[in-house]
Amino acid sequence: MSSPTVPLPALTSGQTTPALASGQTTPTLHSLSPKSSDDSLKKEKLNNQIVTTNKSVEDGLEDIDGGWEGYLETPLPEKGERKLFRNLRHHIMNVYRRLFSIVFFVNMGVLISVAVRGATADYIGKIVIANIFVSVLIREEHVVNGLFFLFTAVPKSWPLWIRVFTARIYSLGGIHSGSAVAALMWLIYFTVQVSIDLRRHKASIPLAVITYMILAFLIIIISLAAPAWRRIHHDKFEMVHRFLGWTVTGLVWAQVILLIRDYKDPSVPLHVAMRHSAPFWLVVILTASIASSWTHLRKVKIQPEVLSNHAVRIHYEYSNAIPGTFSRVSYSPLTEWHSFATISIPGQKGFDHIISRVGDWTSKTIANPPEEIWVRGVPTAGIMNVVPLFNRVVVVATGSGIAPCAPHVYAKKTAIKLLWTSRNIRKTYGDRFVDSIMTAAPDAIIYDTDAHGKPDMVKLIHHVYKEFNAEAVCIISNQPLTQKVVYGLMARGVPAFGAVWDS
């Protein structure tokens, strides 16, 4: 039987954990725990601790319905397939890279074919614009939400392999990057052809100059988007991507108009040629998709609640959000944006963010929460949007990764087994938030890493997956652990989903 959700009410100064309904017991956090004496247990307040059990670390995983004893002793199945094929399938050629490869190599096949036969700059230019169009449009928020809606609308009664396939929609960034790199290859070919036409007096000098500029800027944008550099210098990557992207968009407008002018039939007026030009309309739509997010730019009032020196909860009422989405916030709209998972509670207006300390911006927000903040765009679907595809799911969160998971716990539209590992959870995230999670998911497993160290996550998750008879596992954690868990489970035949860090 499911328990009612303990809502997080509107914030007021000095507010404490809401009282529980008559006859309702205080939610208990179940964890791996060492033996404790009765005297020490009596000294601990029920609402300010993780309640311990008289279990050893090896058999201490327990929920209210039964134990998860002996997960360390439970043998982990051997990885399937040969190592080379396994690594190729799950590491080297994951779904993101497969999508990238399909888009890129199809383009390269066409490019080689066109180059062998020969083509005009006008024809090559159309393919350049088409690739840029796909690269930009696939990232537009409404397009992303529409694709997620379509791919996650598959009934739960359909075969598991179909639902696992459609759940990979969160890897669509491979289409974005594949189209962008393909556009660069086509642009190089276009630049060569325009240079040849310039000498033959078919192309104008302005067209050639603008083409060289676009090529230079596109090389910079794509080079700085390399995962290794982007991870270390993410803010600089965002700045370059944004401002050079806008610059390239303006230059593409000029390029398309000059391309139409230089290669049109002399008897056809420019405005008529533009009206009948596919690249022109592609650029119109492309520009509108870039601008769409900024048409929702606004500064909104927020209700902050500092949970600890490590985390702050921020409540918004300017919009509602569905489970599995994220939204962007900023203090300086032109220079930086930060994305956080939305936490929505059924029946309540607005949504929350939980922001944990991971850098200068988050540290500033926790130490000095603002009363207003900039937002733009609409809440956009992310990895956790795939949860409703499955009948039974193990949802794994480490630390503040609980934020993307919480809306599904509250919504109760899917049978979920929550596994949350973190340091001193009540001290970090506050009684009110933790109690609401535990009341919505009273059988959740919570592992205090301060008390018990780091568990063998692959083994623990696999054990929970088997005991819960789940169809899939979704994990929200840091990049190394996510990749390790997803690979470790997928290699053993367990459908596992985690972020791909492609933005």
Side-chain angles (χ1 to χ4, degrees), residues 77-375:
E78 292 295 322
K79 296 173 182 175
E81 303 169 338
R82 293 187 177 183
K83 185 175 181 180
L84 178 61
F85 182 75
R86 188 173 68 232
N87 289 341
L88 180 66
R89 180 182 177 188
H90 301 303
H91 267 326
I92 300 171
M93 290 301 293
N94 57 29
V95 176
Y96 178 93
R97 289 173 179 161
R98 283 178 229 167
L99 289 174
F100 175 96
S101 299
I102 291 170
V103 172
F104 179 74
F105 287 113
V106 166
N107 266 279
M108 292 305 95
V110 176
L111 189 152
I112 292 170
S113 175
V114 170
V116 169
R117 296 197 314 267
T120 64
D122 180 45
Y123 180 82
I124 301 166
K126 291 176 181 177
I127 303 179
V128 173
I129 298 300
N131 274 284
I132 294 176
F133 173 81
V134 171
S135 181
V136 172
L137 199 70
I138 201 71
R139 286 295 202 189
E140 201 278 328
E141 294 158 347
H142 295 90
V143 172
V144 171
N145 287 343
L147 288 171
F148 267 88
F149 176 80
L150 179 64
F151 276 74
T152 59
V154 175
K156 292 181 180 180
S157 58
W158 283 24
L160 180 60
W161 71 267
I162 295 178
R163 289 177 283 137
V164 170
F165 175 81
T166 61
R168 300 297 177 189
I169 181 62
Y170 68 87
S171 296
L172 57 77
I175 300 174
H176 164 75
S177 54
S179 298
V181 177
L184 176 60
M185 298 297 105
W186 280 104
L187 184 59
I188 292 172
Y189 182 25
F190 176 78
T191 303
V192 171
Q193 190 61 49
V194 166
S195 299
I196 293 173
D197 288 353
L198 182 63
R199 291 199 299 271
R200 296 173 177 172
H201 304 292
K202 290 184 178 180
S204 63
I205 292 177
L207 174 62
V209 170
I210 287 174
T211 298
Y212 299 149
M213 292 174 66
I214 293 174
L215 178 60
F217 289 154
L218 205 55
I219 289 173
I220 293 172
I221 290 172
I222 292 175
S223 298
L224 297 186
W229 196 93
R230 186 179 66 211
R231 243 185 338 262
I232 300 171
H233 308 284
H234 192 269
D235 289 344
K236 293 178 182 177
F237 156 73
E238 290 281 2
M239 292 272 287
V240 170
H241 216 66
R242 181 174 303 116
F243 288 109
L244 277 189
W246 290 347
T247 302
V248 167
T249 301
L251 290 173
V252 166
W253 267 103
Q255 183 189 50
V256 167
I257 293 172
L258 290 170
L259 184 64
I260 295 171
R261 187 199 67 177
D262 290 355
Y263 289 88
K264 71 179 180 63
D265 186 323
S267 64
V268 178
L270 178 60
H271 71 278
V272 174
M274 288 172 61
R275 194 167 65 242
H276 292 87
S277 168
F280 172 77
W281 291 109
L282 288 179
V283 175
V284 169
I285 299 172
L286 179 154
T287 306
S289 74
I290 294 173
S292 66
S293 175
W294 294 89
T295 61
H296 293 88
L297 178 67
R298 75 205 89 168
K299 199 170 191 178
V300 299
K301 291 187 179 297
I302 61 175
Q303 300 175 51
E305 176 193 20
V306 176
L307 303 176
S308 67
N309 61 5
H310 180 76
V312 62
R313 170 204 163 211
I314 295 180
H315 182 69
Y316 307 82
E317 293 194 349
Y318 75 92
S319 176
N320 292 321
I322 63 172
T325 59
F326 66 88
S327 64
R328 301 176 179 87
V329 295
S330 176
Y331 295 140
S332 177
L334 289 178
T335 58
E336 62 175 0
W337 285 92
H338 301 270
S339 299
F340 298 97
T342 62
I343 303 177
S344 54
I345 299 176
Q348 287 198 16
K349 181 181 179 182
F351 62 88
D352 295 344
H353 284 158
I354 287 185
I355 299 174
S356 293
R357 186 186 301 274
V358 292
D360 293 341
W361 191 92
T362 53
S363 297
K364 174 185 174 182
T365 303
I366 294 168
N368 236 343
E371 295 182 355
E372 294 181 320
I373 202 164
W374 288 96
V375 299

Side-chain angles (χ1 to χ4, degrees), residues 368-411:
N368 236 343
E371 295 182 355
E372 294 181 320
I373 202 164
W374 288 96
V375 299
R376 72 175 171 91
V378 296
T380 308
I383 170 66
M384 291 302 289
N385 200 259
V386 307
V387 168
L389 273 169
F390 305 101
N391 293 290
R392 298 175 69 80
V393 186
V394 174
V395 172
V396 182
T398 65
S400 57
I402 189 63
C405 306
H408 291 291
V409 174
Y410 294 143

